[in-house]
Amino acid sequence: MIEVGNVSFIKHIGDLLFDFLFPPRCPACGAYVERRGGWCPACLSAALRVRRLPLAAEHTDVLSGAWAFGLYHGVLRELLLPLKFKKRRDGLSAIHSFLSAADEVLPRAGWMPGIVVPVPLFAEKEKERGGNQTEMIFREWLTAQGWTWRNALVRTRATAPQYGLSATQRVENIKGAFSLTDDSYKEEVAGKSVLLVDDIFTTGATIAECARVLRKAGAAEVVAWTLASDRQ
Ligand SMILES: [Zn+2]
């Protein structure tokens, strides 16, 4: 019988073999890159569009600002859709390296949130998807900065998908759909700068509705960061 004394050595050989058979490639153009999840510099700089998003006037009373890191088309869309709808996690490492690159150009001037809160999915949908994609996208990156992640919000009812709805329909669809997970979160949210995270920003209706609940619970301010948006 062969004794396997060093599991990590075996894993390392396994990784090398995997990289040899399936060399890591840029998610956008397919060029070979050094490590899994890596991008070629040209595609990365083309995909990065870190910007402050314009807010609808009715959202400015609950949101202090909203940011997107990329455009919601092309490669980011292709990485995000399988994660959301097909339970495929293979695009996650490319999304994570995209966020690290965004981090370097995000002008946050020392701003730090007191707490990070993801936009929640309805429990049934989260189960169906095998998790909340927003959590898969952001949690590791933000907690690595020492920030406190709290699932402080829940979606209290199933809502129709926002895509395909008009701006007015989106507001109606999402109205009253969120609440604090339970009253114990009031203490965590009150007086804090809250960083609200979501995968996509379209009209901002969902994010503003979440921000409204957080401000009602006493949040000092709510700032939103989103992976991608089709807004310029
Ligand atoms: Zn490329």
Side-chain angles (χ1 to χ4, degrees):
M1 201 173 85
I2 302 166
E3 209 169 297
V4 179
N6 192 336
V7 177
S8 70
F9 176 73
I10 303 287
K11 188 180 175 297
H12 179 66
I13 297 292
D15 288 348
L16 284 179
L17 185 64
F18 187 76
D19 281 354
F20 177 74
L21 294 172
F22 309 100
R25 288 167 178 271
C26 170
C29 71
Y32 291 118
V33 290
E34 272 180 27
R35 48 176 194 85
R36 210 155 288 284
W39 295 58
C40 79
C43 292
L44 184 59
S45 70
L48 272 177
R49 285 285 177 277
V50 177
R51 63 206 186 280
R52 196 173 183 139
L53 297 165
L55 288 177
E58 66 269 26
H59 296 163
T60 50
D61 55 338
V62 288
L63 269 176
S64 304
W67 294 78
F69 302 146
L71 291 173
Y72 186 54
H73 69 68
V75 60
L76 278 181
R77 192 165 183 273
E78 282 161 29
L79 288 170
L80 199 49
L81 287 178
L83 182 67
K84 277 180 90 153
F85 301 113
K86 293 185 180 161
K87 287 190 183 178
R88 280 182 41 203
R89 311 276 182 264
D90 40 335
L92 258 183
S93 57
I95 292 178
H96 290 157
S97 22
F98 178 81
L99 289 178
S100 305
D103 203 8
E104 286 169 25
V105 287
L106 191 64
R108 59 177 181 228
W111 181 81
M112 270 180 59
I115 178 176
V116 183
V117 177
V119 169
L121 296 176
F122 190 54
E124 216 162 278
K125 193 184 270 181
E126 182 166 336
K127 209 171 158 194
E128 192 183 293
R129 288 187 185 174
N132 181 350
Q133 73 280 353
T134 298
E135 188 157 350
M136 295 176 212
I137 292 167
F138 285 103
R139 187 169 184 154
E140 192 184 298
W141 173 45
L142 297 177
T143 53
Q145 325 218 7
W147 296 353
T148 307
W149 182 281
R150 289 285 183 267
N151 295 323
L153 294 173
V154 282
R155 210 177 274 241
T156 51
R157 59 178 168 84
T159 48
Q162 291 282 69
Y163 53 81
L165 298 182
S166 72
T168 326
Q169 287 169 328
R170 281 168 185 255
V171 171
E172 281 307 311
N173 184 41
I174 211 76
K175 208 174 198 173
F178 302 98
S179 73
L180 281 190
T181 304
D182 61 59
D183 278 349
S184 68
Y185 284 97
K186 262 188 193 158
E187 222 168 280
E188 300 228 36
V189 167
K192 300 265 175 63
S193 284
V194 179
L195 174 58
L196 183 63
V197 287
D198 201 6
D199 53 354
I200 306 164
F201 183 105
T202 309
T203 61
T206 304
I207 284 166
E209 193 61 27
C210 288
R212 191 160 290 126
V213 174
L214 292 165
R215 289 298 302 274
K216 217 172 160 189
E221 64 163 354
V222 180
V223 172
W225 286 3
T226 58
L227 177 67
S229 176
D230 55 3
R231 303 292 145 123
Q232 292 296 331

